[in-house]
Amino acid sequence: MAILQNSCCGCCNLRTGCIVVGVLFLILHLIDIAIKASNIEAGGGWPDILGVAIEVLAVIIVFFLFYGVIKEIRVLLLVWVVFVIVILVVELIVAIITTVYVLSIVGPFTPASLTLLPFWIIYLLMLCLVIYGVLVVYSHYQNLRDGITDDGAAPPPGAYPPGTAAPPPGYELKDPPPIV
């Protein structure tokens, strides 16, 4: 049974949600490649080169996600989920090490230590985006695993008031009720 039941954000089905997540992550990875490439031009070292290589791999994995969603190949969705979780853990470790290193140099509770605040705010926002993206993609994976198709033929979530059912396909209402 899927974690998110047939809906991404309550406005589209999980299949469409996976594509939206993929587009968002593709944009973020391309921006990150541009930033790290400009750091390399400015004299950045091997960490930036390694970062670009990881980001290029991430872009390839996003295309695996797109292909897996379109062709309903579940293992490709799972590859994306595992890759994103591994990157998330590595980034968390790097963020903690960076924070400890900076605080050991400038000291805690100094004006210079406040420079870490925007870094952590951005990281926590990205963390929330990544967690929700993983939930959407993994829920679609679970639907595919369980044989539940999500082709967009059904009305979007919330199209009918609670407690009502959608009419069967091909059914036409002879006398529509008055709109109140």
Side-chain angles (χ1 to χ4, degrees), residues 33-139:
I33 287 173
I35 291 170
K36 288 176 180 168
S38 67
N39 288 346
I40 292 171
E41 286 182 19
W46 66 267
D48 287 322
I49 295 170
L50 181 62
V52 168
I54 291 171
E55 292 298 329
V56 168
L57 180 61
V59 168
I60 292 169
I61 298 293
V62 168
F63 282 108
F64 283 173
L65 172 66
F66 289 144
Y67 190 74
V69 169
I70 292 168
K71 297 292 185 178
E72 296 184 354
I73 303 172
R74 332 183 281 244
V75 70
L76 294 180
L77 276 65
L78 204 55
V79 165
W80 184 87
V81 167
V82 169
F83 180 80
V84 168
I85 290 173
V86 167
I87 292 299
L88 181 69
V89 169
V90 169
E91 285 178 349
L92 178 62
I93 292 169
V94 169
I96 291 171
I97 290 171
T98 302
T99 301
V100 169
Y101 177 72
V102 169
L103 290 178
S104 70
I105 292 174
V106 300
F109 309 113
T110 62
S113 68
L114 291 177
T115 59
L116 292 171
L117 190 61
F119 167 76
W120 275 101
I121 290 172
I122 291 171
Y123 180 79
L124 291 175
L125 289 173
M126 293 301 296
L127 178 69
C128 292
L129 178 68
V130 168
I131 290 171
Y132 193 75
V134 166
L135 287 175
V136 169
V137 174
Y138 191 69
S139 293

